[in-house]
Amino acid sequence: MKIKVSIQIIFKIMIIVLMIIYLPSYSHQNVKVFKAISTTEALQTSVPVTSSKKIHLYNTHQGEEYVGYNVKEGASYLKDCLTKEGYFCDVEQNDFENYKNIHRIAYNQSYVVSKMYLENSLRENGQYDLVIDFHRDSLDKKYSTLVYNQKSYAKILFVVGKSSGKFDMVNQLSTELSNRANEKVPGLSKGIMVKKNHYNQGICDHTILIEFGGQNNTKEEVQNTIEVMSQVIKEYLQ
């Protein structure tokens, strides 16, 4: 009798062990999902998407700061403004500065890092209708600030890479957005600056680099400009 009981116990233990071994590995699946979501700050589900157009925002130089504000916060605010207009808009959340520190990548190689993450976002989310690299300029406040109708704005500048392979397309798009901004607030955009670099502008169509103000601009000034640019982008994408 004792032998039969022992055999039954051993048999049950063997079944339990086999069940544990062949259970699906949910932890591995969860890791994949977490990585996909953590790459960009996803659109809040409480805000309805009324447009089929998609926008991606990132900051190659995430460490650029204003007075009590920074470019990452600026990109996030632009995302919020565009989301309210009904667009699917995400903003890159990975820490570029930390990645450069860990892998000992120099500051002048920042676009190597942002290119890698931009390509990852394109793989995960498909093509975007507009991609914006949100920057800040380095210059005296008197050159980076505009007062119009008793309201203070951070001036913007579009930078176009000569060596991207898509110079004409990027230059045309940047010029159009610059002109539209100046129609709303005369003098808000300082126009186009062409440089030799590529600035990731050959990775996909409809990608631009905008410098919002300078290091001495305030949060309010930067956000005033962002609100104007969200309307410019809305009108362009319609």
Side-chain angles (χ1 to χ4, degrees):
M1 185 71 176
K2 291 183 178 179
I3 295 175
K4 287 184 179 181
V5 172
S6 299
I7 292 174
Q8 289 177 352
I9 293 173
I10 293 171
F11 183 70
K12 288 180 180 180
I13 292 173
M14 288 177 65
I15 292 175
I16 293 170
V17 170
L18 288 171
M19 288 175 66
I20 293 172
I21 291 173
Y22 288 101
L23 277 173
S25 178
Y26 291 106
S27 61
H28 180 65
Q29 294 173 359
N30 287 338
V31 169
K32 287 185 176 180
V33 172
F34 177 74
K35 286 182 178 177
I37 293 173
S38 65
T39 299
T40 54
E41 182 182 340
L43 180 70
Q44 296 178 0
T45 55
S46 60
V47 181
V49 177
T50 58
S51 173
S52 61
K53 303 295 178 66
K54 295 165 56 181
I55 306 162
H56 178 65
L57 307 172
Y58 70 104
N59 311 94
T60 292
H61 297 145
Q62 294 178 336
E64 292 177 333
E65 295 185 350
Y66 301 103
V67 177
Y69 203 54
N70 60 54
V71 293
K72 290 184 67 177
E73 293 172 310
S76 182
Y77 186 67
L78 177 56
K79 177 251 184 188
D80 291 342
C81 291
L82 292 169
T83 296
K84 290 176 183 177
E85 297 296 339
Y87 293 103
F88 175 90
C89 185
D90 58 35
V91 58
E92 179 61 62
Q93 292 297 292
N94 280 291
D95 191 333
F96 295 176
E97 301 305 314
N98 185 55
Y99 185 91
K100 285 187 289 186
N101 289 335
I102 291 174
H103 297 278
R104 298 181 180 179
I105 298 174
Y107 180 83
N108 61 6
Q109 295 297 309
S110 295
Y111 286 95
V112 174
V113 178
S114 62
K115 175 177 179 287
M116 176 184 69
Y117 283 108
L118 174 57
E119 290 176 332
N120 188 56
S121 293
L122 292 169
R123 282 192 298 270
E124 290 181 354
N125 302 309
Q127 291 296 316
Y128 291 93
D129 297 282
L130 187 62
V131 175
I132 302 174
D133 190 0
F134 189 115
H135 285 255
R136 180 221 72 190
D137 206 347
S138 295
L139 70 171
D140 193 278
K141 186 170 183 178
K142 65 181 179 182
Y143 300 116
S144 67
T145 310
L146 170 72
V147 178
Y148 178 73
N149 284 345
Q150 299 181 329
K151 196 171 185 179
S152 189
Y153 298 88
K155 290 185 178 181
I156 58 173
L157 175 70
F158 292 81
V159 180
V160 179
K162 190 72 174 177
S163 62
S164 71
K166 295 188 177 182
F167 171 77
D168 291 336
M169 178 185 295
V170 178
N171 189 52
Q172 181 178 352
L173 171 55
S174 298
T175 300
E176 181 176 351
L177 295 178
S178 175
N179 291 340
R180 285 175 180 263
N182 283 334
E183 288 174 4
K184 290 188 174 297
V185 179
L188 182 65
S189 176
K190 296 184 288 182
I192 313 298
M193 177 179 287
V194 177
K195 292 188 175 182
K196 293 180 180 180
N197 206 336
H198 58 83
Y199 301 111
N200 298 339
Q201 292 170 356
I203 305 302
C204 58
D205 293 341
H206 318 298
T207 179
I208 54 175
L209 189 162
I210 311 178
E211 294 186 344
F212 288 80
Q215 71 275 16
N216 295 315
N217 283 112
T218 64
K219 174 182 178 179
E220 181 182 9
E221 291 166 344
V222 175
Q223 289 191 342
N224 286 341
T225 298
I226 288 171
E227 290 167 6
V228 173
M229 288 309 299
S230 69
Q231 293 302 307
V232 168
I233 292 167
K234 175 185 177 182
E235 292 173 6
Y236 165 74
L237 289 176
Q238 285 178 344

